[in-house]
Amino acid sequence: MAAATHPDPCAARCETADALRTLRTLLEAAANEAARIRAGAAHGNADRFQVNEAVDLAHEAQALAGILGAVPAAATDADPSLTTGSREAA
């Protein structure tokens, strides 16, 4: 697998842990906002532009899932002692 590039990769496991905590907090907030938007839309409180934006955001969320889904393979490539089937591998 080719190494993923980013201008500021996590340089230590503690940075990765911090980034994961930040992402979890943001995702929890995003899930709450998405539920609010869906509930509002069910009451007629979304126009066609907002519907299109919601679809665009759903596609971006799928792209994010793809990036995070590639983490186990990238970690195993970097450290073969890790196993992708175990959450306790690291």
Side-chain angles (χ1 to χ4, degrees):
M1 169 181 278
T5 59
H6 186 276
D8 183 27
C10 292
R13 290 184 181 185
C14 60
E15 284 188 31
T16 302
D18 289 346
L20 287 167
R21 273 191 293 278
T22 298
L23 186 56
R24 180 174 300 280
T25 300
L26 292 170
L27 287 174
E28 288 170 357
N32 182 59
E33 291 301 312
R36 291 182 65 231
I37 292 164
R38 183 184 59 205
H43 292 159
N45 296 323
D47 62 30
R48 65 182 167 155
F49 301 107
Q50 292 166 329
V51 169
N52 289 337
E53 185 173 359
V55 170
D56 289 344
L57 288 170
H59 291 150
E60 290 179 28
Q62 288 173 334
L64 177 61
I67 293 168
L68 291 172
V71 169
T76 302
D77 285 350
D79 182 355
S81 70
L82 296 176
T83 58
T84 59
S86 172
R87 292 185 72 177
E88 293 82 31

